[in-house]
Amino acid sequence: MARENLRFPPGFLWGAATAAYQIEGAARDDGRTPSIWDTFSHTPGKVLGGDTGDVAVDHYHRWRDDVRLMAGLGLTSYRFSVSWPRVQPTGRGPAVQRGLDFYRRLVDELLAHGIQPMVTLYHWDLPQELEDAFPSGSAAGGGWPERDTAYRFAEYAGIVGEALGDRVEMWSTLNEPWCSAFLGYGSGVHAPGRTDPVAALRAAHHLNLAHGLGAQALREQLPARARIGVSLNPSAVRPLTASAGDLDARRRIDALANRVFTGPMLRGTYDDDLIADTARLTDWSFVQDDDLRITRHPLDFLGINYYAPAVVSAATEDAAAGPRKDGHGASEHSPWPGADEHVSFHRAPGELTAMDWPVDPTGLTDLLLEYTAQAPEVPLYVTENGAAYDDKPGEDGQVHDPDRVRYLHSHIAAVHHAILAGADVRGYFLWSLLDNFEWAYGYSKRFGAVHVDYETQARTPKSSAHWYAKVAASGELPREYVAD
Ligand code: FCB
């Protein structure tokens, strides 16, 4: 007997996601100035192969074709980020209209094709001037460890809100603040590449503050129908065994990966165990009166980015030896302030993608149900999910990527599972629309549903794109994965 397909709720959004620095290129056009990622990628040894986002996939010039491509795939939504240094080159003061015009045109083109935009204000490209700024009396060294950056972000949020507020309904303040704080200032595998655990914790707080202040600034500009949220990358963190030591390791990483953001944003608090675990490093006096009221700005939605689960145990003997690989690059420095002597990471079971990330869709269901339990009134979106594989055009000129189809199938099924179990999930955004600049891995990792030939910039939808188009058109997922 044929088994029915999995049906998604009416109005469920089928989208794809990108980020400005990863696709736009045109790094010097129309008054754009360097962001921390321009500086970092131009620093020898920081990005594999010396790759930079100078040209990327030239979306700044090819946006019209890229929108046509999305429309051809039947996407009903597109999540992209605005480049802060394109809009406000010094990170303060008046906006550059040419920069804003690019996003106005992009949004108009999307709407003309019936594609709902979701704007992310910050996907990691801090104007370099803000990283270099040392406001008087500050020991923080600029960037996110410096409190003033949160106020600069709010000003920028207001500018973009004013420019696009009449036509964009879905807004996300920050993308994955965990990466900005702990990879950018802790392990240093992301820009700006600093390796100071206290700076990483300060950065986390100022990102929380930026989220709250940015949401307030947006609210002042946007019509009531606009929805304001954030995209986090919570860790689906699992203990290796049920031993007390392994459970404590899980608690520590849950605090540093998840609750450091969801505490302030959902509950207006930093949990006592997080403060205690990091007490040797800081007294958290950078959290000022009233900050935790601001960070708790009501969320209209919560975006969850998910790729793979993490498995932790109490520290094993060899925990301190050798460079750490945290899935985003290798570093001698840890992205887990205060946890290193207590926690070891283990490879989760499952096949590996080209990132060496295990394939395990149950982590996505778990997270969606976890946040349903924590914040039942807040609708959820999967704002990123996808996989890198070593895709190449075949002799027929087509790009066959059955591994990605399998990955997407199992993860979209995991979303359905969560919906059946009571999660209010309103949409799914595949990472990524196009192959692009994968941060410290440069162009070596391909996440796109659409293949990009980096010599010619030719776009070729992979078989996963055609498969996803069918899911988007029908709003249904075949119950079983069937290879082409
Ligand atoms: C996420 C980032 C996104 C992309 C994917 C693979 O952490 O938000 O830009 O690089 O990982």
Side-chain angles (χ1 to χ4, degrees):
M1 195 178 67
R3 293 169 72 206
E4 277 173 26
N5 289 343
L6 306 177
R7 288 210 119 270
F8 281 76
F12 188 88
L13 294 180
W14 297 101
T18 62
Y21 190 70
Q22 295 180 277
I23 64 165
E24 285 182 1
R28 288 289 180 173
D29 286 31
D30 293 337
R32 184 185 180 279
T33 54
S35 73
I36 54 175
W37 266 99
D38 295 83
T39 308
F40 188 76
S41 64
H42 280 272
T43 307
K46 298 296 186 191
V47 173
L48 202 68
D51 291 346
T52 74
D54 288 1
V55 177
V57 297
D58 198 31
H59 172 74
Y60 192 71
H61 299 113
R62 294 167 195 262
W63 57 277
R64 209 183 282 277
D65 291 340
D66 289 340
V67 174
R68 207 172 299 135
L69 195 59
M70 291 180 230
L73 296 174
L75 300 188
T76 52
S77 191
Y78 174 53
R79 172 178 179 251
F80 65 93
S81 78
V82 172
S83 160
W84 188 347
R86 201 180 281 297
V87 163
Q88 206 188 19
T90 60
R92 54 183 89 232
V96 170
Q97 289 306 318
R98 279 168 305 170
L100 285 172
D101 285 343
F102 169 72
Y103 298 106
R104 288 193 184 101
R105 283 192 297 264
L106 173 63
V107 167
D108 287 346
E109 192 76 2
L110 290 165
L111 293 173
H113 285 85
I115 301 171
Q116 267 211 56
M118 179 189 276
V119 167
T120 302
L121 288 174
Y122 185 72
H123 200 128
W124 307 353
D125 43 0
L126 186 74
Q128 182 64 41
E129 279 207 31
L130 293 185
E131 176 62 26
D132 294 341
F134 287 80
S136 59
S138 165
W144 288 111
E146 165 55 52
R147 185 177 175 88
D148 187 56
T149 303
Y151 292 88
R152 302 281 62 78
F153 176 76
E155 183 180 84
Y156 157 70
I159 288 171
V160 184
E162 186 184 2
L164 302 180
D166 57 344
R167 50 200 112 175
V168 172
E169 286 190 17
M170 291 188 293
W171 294 79
S172 172
T173 52
L174 306 174
N175 177 71
E176 301 191 1
W178 184 85
C179 294
S180 301
F182 295 100
L183 301 179
Y185 296 91
S187 66
V189 300
H190 279 185
R194 283 162 60 181
T195 54
D196 171 353
V198 180
L201 291 167
R202 294 177 64 104
H205 176 61
H206 296 138
L207 283 153
N208 283 323
L209 186 60
H211 161 73
L213 293 169
Q216 283 178 359
L218 280 177
R219 247 312 141 229
E220 280 169 23
Q221 297 295 336
L222 300 181
R225 66 174 186 278
R227 286 167 289 146
I228 302 170
V230 64
S231 285
L232 303 179
N233 58 321
S235 179
V237 51
R238 295 166 173 171
L240 185 64
T241 74
S243 73
D246 292 2
L247 290 173
D248 190 60
R250 200 208 88 87
R251 178 195 62 71
R252 284 174 186 274
I253 297 305
D254 179 49
L256 282 167
N258 303 335
R259 288 183 282 122
V260 67
F261 301 107
T262 53
M265 289 182 187
L266 297 175
R267 301 187 300 280
T269 143
Y270 285 108
D271 289 340
D272 291 345
D273 63 328
L274 171 66
I275 307 275
D277 290 350
T278 51
R280 207 168 29 83
L281 297 166
T282 174
D283 61 4
W284 290 74
S285 54
F286 47 81
V287 181
Q288 297 187 6
D289 289 352
D290 217 33
D291 284 3
L292 291 166
R293 186 187 58 76
I294 295 168
T295 60
R296 196 187 182 179
H297 191 278
L299 281 178
D300 300 321
F301 68 88
L302 177 61
I304 305 273
N305 295 357
Y306 173 80
Y307 292 90
V311 176
V312 298
S313 73
T316 55
E317 291 262 305
D318 56 350
R324 297 162 193 287
K325 283 187 82 181
D326 54 35
H328 294 270
S331 169
E332 299 297 329
H333 300 273
S334 163
W336 304 109
D340 293 309
E341 58 272 39
H342 305 281
V343 180
S344 288
F345 281 81
H346 302 264
R347 202 157 95 182
E351 274 171 49
L352 299 179
T353 68
M355 297 294 281
D356 275 349
W357 296 350
V359 178
D360 183 351
T362 63
L364 180 54
T365 309
D366 290 353
L367 287 174
L368 293 169
L369 293 176
E370 169 73 31
Y371 290 104
T372 299
Q374 283 193 31
E377 72 292 356
V378 180
L380 303 172
Y381 288 90
V382 176
T383 40
E384 284 182 26
N385 175 243
Y389 290 103
D390 195 10
D391 311 306
K392 294 185 186 66
E395 286 184 358
D396 57 358
Q398 301 297 307
V399 185
H400 296 282
D401 59 343
D403 289 339
R404 182 173 292 99
V405 178
R406 205 142 30 95
Y407 182 98
L408 295 175
H409 180 277
S410 62
H411 286 75
I412 296 171
V415 175
H416 192 267
H417 202 73
I419 293 173
L420 287 186
D424 179 9
V425 190
R426 306 260 177 109
Y428 173 91
F429 292 81
L430 184 163
W431 184 273
S432 180
L433 176 68
L434 302 160
D435 289 337
N436 61 48
F437 175 81
E438 178 46 37
W439 309 115
Y441 293 90
Y443 297 99
S444 70
K445 304 293 180 198
R446 293 179 177 273
F447 273 93
V450 175
H451 181 271
V452 179
D453 177 330
Y454 294 123
E455 297 294 311
T456 63
Q457 298 289 356
R459 273 85 160 133
T460 308
K462 304 177 191 176
S463 41
S464 58
H466 298 300
W467 175 88
Y468 189 60
K470 283 189 221 150
V471 176
S474 63
E476 291 187 4
L477 185 75
R479 203 171 275 270
E480 313 290 345
Y481 166 71
V482 186
D484 286 341

